[in-house]
Amino acid sequence: MSRQKKIAEYLLDTKAVKLNFDEPFTYASGIRSPIYCDNRVLISHPKIRKGIAKAFIDVIKENNLEFDIIAGVATSGIPWAAFIAEELEKPMVYVRSKAKGHGMTNLVEGEFKEGDKAIVIEDLISTGGSSLTAAKGLKEAGIIVNDLIAIFTYQMKKTEEGFNNEKINLHTLSDFSTLAEKAVEKNYLSAENKDKVLEWNQDPQNWYSKHYQTEEIKEPETKNKVLLKLQKVMKEKKSNLCVAADLTTTKEILDLVEEIGDKICLLKTHIDIIEDFTPEFITKLQKLAKEKNFMIFEDRKFADIGNTVKHQFENGIYHIADWADMVNAHVLPGPGILEGLKNDKVALILLQEMSSKGNLLTPDYTKKAQEMAQEYSNYVIGFIGLNKTLKDPRFMLMTPGVKLEKGTDKLGQQYNDVESAIKKGTDIIIVGRGIYQAEDPGAEAQKYQELAWKTYNK
Ligand code: 5IU
């Protein structure tokens, strides 16, 4: 068996790499993929570990690679570099793909001389970005880098280009296409799905929608009135921007709305975070909504049994059903929650996905939420989510976790930029801190509005 196949077999046997076309994996970025890779498990299997270390050494010997030191990329490349350096009785260093945030900022740990030649050892190449950053770090430290060896590569288009630009030879012990072949041999993957799986690395962003689009549903004869109004407002104002007004006093919210009201189609509220709520606030907000032509979405995320949510929706201090144009709900409790929230004036938005790290909304859950929406399409007009996996004109997709630039916050929020959010099929972007924390929220809202509308209508 070829080395590439042998290593692919190791990866499949240890489940370091899994392939699944029927139920693709969801990455933290929201990208759906038929391949999931976590090579870190390999170090726990002594025999396989030995086989992989030997394969690394074979590559070094077969290619007559010249080197003085073995450099592991932190953290996953380090054990492999250690096994190799130990076997070859050579010095080892490791290199971070980013400098430490504070204090000593050594990129390269271990001893070396300027002009030393290093072979860089890595466990996985996805785009190659972090490996190349590490290689550049070594070069900046005066180390010569001509070769990098990794266990596995996704064989993305970008990868080759990046390595060529840096003039580094990339050697890999196995790769995506060999793994797919091996997976077919081992009946982990059907032959007919193999080609579809292999298309993934060509265009990861759009792969899922290409292969999993549910059938497109024709324009319905009647639509929910709230949905019709929302679509009308969007067209009139050329805006698919929803601002999340997560401020805690009525004055701050009303001031913000004065500034951004013209730019939005929808204002999202969290009524229960307001410290000085009074019914007059609602009157003022509704007046502004009328003047500035936007709708109000109370992000209440109902999640209880029908009887309880009915009270939470209609009664209590906030009487949400009297003023919101739409509210949202989790489908976790089952259809009873939608029964409890049925209302001819206030439309429902269901959570199909969330933007927060580690959330438990699996692809299967998403599908169930969509099925429930279709069953209750008189009342449900859309989803909160990141990917348009259901194309049905009765529903709009609204995406939170959007900023001008990608990033995260300290509490698990994961931001997409405006363009990627819309490319994933969203109809409305929801922006909170990106706008209300800006120095000039009005001007900032206008930026988001223009960019989102332009991208949406491309
Ligand atoms: N929100 C999310 N992610 C979700 C859901 C709701 O961020 O998955 I469901 C809400 C939380 C907040 C707003 O009110 O959207 C995003 O605010 P920032 O843009 O400030 O992160």
Side-chain angles (χ1 to χ4, degrees), residues 196-319:
K196 292 181 203 149
V197 161
L198 285 176
E199 276 174 38
W200 174 78
N201 61 5
Q202 299 302 306
D203 187 6
Q205 288 274 357
N206 297 310
W207 177 85
Y208 187 82
S209 55
K210 186 169 165 204
H211 292 291
Y212 296 81
Q213 214 61 275
T214 36
E215 74 185 285
E216 220 164 297
I217 293 159
K218 298 227 162 48
E219 204 64 32
E221 312 230 314
T222 53
K223 270 190 183 173
N224 178 295
K225 286 200 186 97
V226 180
L227 177 64
L228 285 172
K229 179 163 176 207
L230 178 61
Q231 290 173 334
K232 183 165 166 269
V233 173
M234 287 168 71
K235 274 201 195 121
E236 283 167 359
K237 294 179 79 177
K238 294 192 181 9
S239 173
N240 57 340
L241 171 65
C242 167
V243 164
D246 292 339
L247 297 162
T248 50
T249 63
T250 54
K251 178 168 183 328
E252 283 172 306
I253 297 178
L254 295 170
D255 287 350
L256 175 74
V257 174
E258 283 288 354
E259 287 183 63
I260 55 113
D262 291 336
K263 325 277 192 287
I264 59 173
C265 59
L266 198 57
L267 184 79
K268 187 171 83 60
T269 54
H270 276 300
I271 206 68
D272 59 359
I273 65 172
I274 298 176
E275 288 160 11
D276 57 345
F277 175 84
T278 59
E280 288 74 59
F281 167 68
I282 295 297
T283 314
K284 286 184 190 158
L285 195 60
Q286 282 185 314
K287 188 163 164 266
L288 280 168
K290 204 161 186 194
E291 265 170 40
K292 297 186 183 285
N293 193 21
F294 63 81
M295 297 175 84
I296 303 175
F297 167 19
E298 165 55 23
D299 187 359
R300 175 61 181 75
K301 296 189 189 71
F302 293 104
D304 216 315
I305 59 166
N307 185 57
T308 305
V309 295
K310 195 168 163 52
H311 283 298
Q312 292 171 321
F313 184 33
E314 294 172 3
N315 308 317
I317 303 173
Y318 301 115
H319 297 274

Side-chain angles (χ1 to χ4, degrees), residues 66-117:
E66 285 180 28
F67 69 101
D68 303 296
I69 46 178
I70 295 291
V73 178
T75 46
S76 321
I78 294 177
W80 303 107
F83 302 142
I84 299 163
E86 178 66 14
E87 181 65 28
L88 298 178
E89 297 185 18
K90 284 285 193 176
M92 172 188 157
V93 298
Y94 71 81
V95 54
R96 297 190 177 83
S97 56
K98 249 192 218 145
K100 276 197 284 184
H102 50 85
M104 302 243 302
T105 52
N106 282 347
L107 265 186
V108 185
E109 302 284 3
E111 281 178 18
F112 58 91
K113 295 190 299 298
E114 219 178 302
D116 272 353
K117 279 192 187 142

Side-chain angles (χ1 to χ4, degrees), residues 244 246 268 270 299 301 328 351 353-356 384 400-402 413 415 430-434 436:
D246 292 339
K268 187 171 83 60
H270 276 300
D299 187 359
K301 296 189 189 71
N328 54 359
L351 276 79
E353 290 159 309
M354 290 189 73
S355 63
S356 45
I384 300 285
V402 178
Q413 174 71 298
Y415 289 109
I430 301 176
V431 183
R433 284 163 284 180
Y436 67 75

